[in-house]
Amino acid sequence: MLDREGDTHPFQQISEIIRSRVATLSPGDPVASEAEIQREFGVARTTARRAIRVLRDEGLIHTVQGGGTFVGAPNKTLPETNKMPLYQRIAAEIAQRIKAGELCPRRPIPGETALLQQHNVARETVRRAMALLREQGYIYTVPQRGSYVAPEELWPKE
């Protein structure tokens, strides 16, 4: 897909491909993340980041820190879920699974690698979500063993 031998930098080629995709989307629709670009095109993170920056500088897309990249200029009427940082959304989803009984007390939660793949985010995002769940009392971590669902009496009272 990319012409790695040609005279155009890969980040410019990628930005052109994404530009054509953005043309078919509506304002506010999500755009591929840096991690997705890396996987799709087989490039380094800095190359993916430069491709996104080109489109952001052109005003075609905008990035919400911890929330993702979206079509169009930033506006103040984004849905509430887009305003919440991504790590908080992941933590809320896991907390909901715990409260629903999908993840049982004193049993392991999905590992970091599984969560990375499931949510298609950076490792730091998953780690922040896990830290938030620990702070809230939904999970605890046993060194060299993993993270587990805390007993129900330790969960936050709603």
Side-chain angles (χ1 to χ4, degrees):
M1 188 173 243
L2 292 182
D3 179 10
R4 295 179 190 274
E5 301 299 319
D7 64 348
T8 305
H9 291 287
F11 80 90
Q12 291 172 322
Q13 294 176 53
I14 293 168
S15 64
E16 190 58 41
I17 292 167
I18 296 171
R19 184 180 292 109
S20 66
R21 292 177 186 172
V22 165
T24 67
L25 300 172
S26 300
D29 284 350
V31 178
S33 68
E34 287 177 11
E36 291 169 332
I37 292 170
Q38 282 181 262
R39 274 191 296 281
E40 180 179 348
F41 297 101
V43 295
R45 183 175 183 164
T46 54
T47 302
R49 188 170 284 166
R50 286 179 76 184
I52 291 290
R53 186 180 319 126
V54 167
L55 300 175
R56 193 173 47 240
D57 290 348
E58 293 173 5
L60 294 175
I61 63 174
H62 70 279
T63 302
V64 176
Q65 185 175 2
T69 302
F70 304 92
V71 176
N75 80 39
K76 295 175 179 27
T77 60
L78 286 175
E80 212 43 53
T81 56
N82 286 344
K83 290 181 181 178
M84 181 186 298
L86 191 52
Y87 79 94
Q88 288 179 357
R89 284 189 273 166
I90 293 169
E93 179 187 308
I94 294 170
Q96 187 58 43
R97 290 177 63 194
I98 290 170
K99 291 186 273 187
E102 240 182 276
L103 300 171
C104 300
R106 299 196 184 287
R107 295 288 170 243
I109 65 166
E112 191 176 271
T113 303
L115 292 171
L116 286 170
Q117 292 171 348
Q118 179 183 354
H119 294 283
N120 200 20
V121 295
R123 188 170 303 278
E124 183 59 28
T125 303
V126 168
R127 288 180 177 168
R128 289 182 75 187
M130 301 292 281
L132 179 58
L133 289 165
R134 266 191 299 280
E135 286 174 27
Q136 293 172 337
Y138 284 111
I139 68 171
Y140 63 96
T141 301
V142 177
Q144 281 89 41
R145 300 271 307 163
S147 294
Y148 295 81
V149 176
E152 192 170 346
E153 58 270 11
L154 299 178
W155 301 352
K157 306 297 178 231
E158 295 186 17

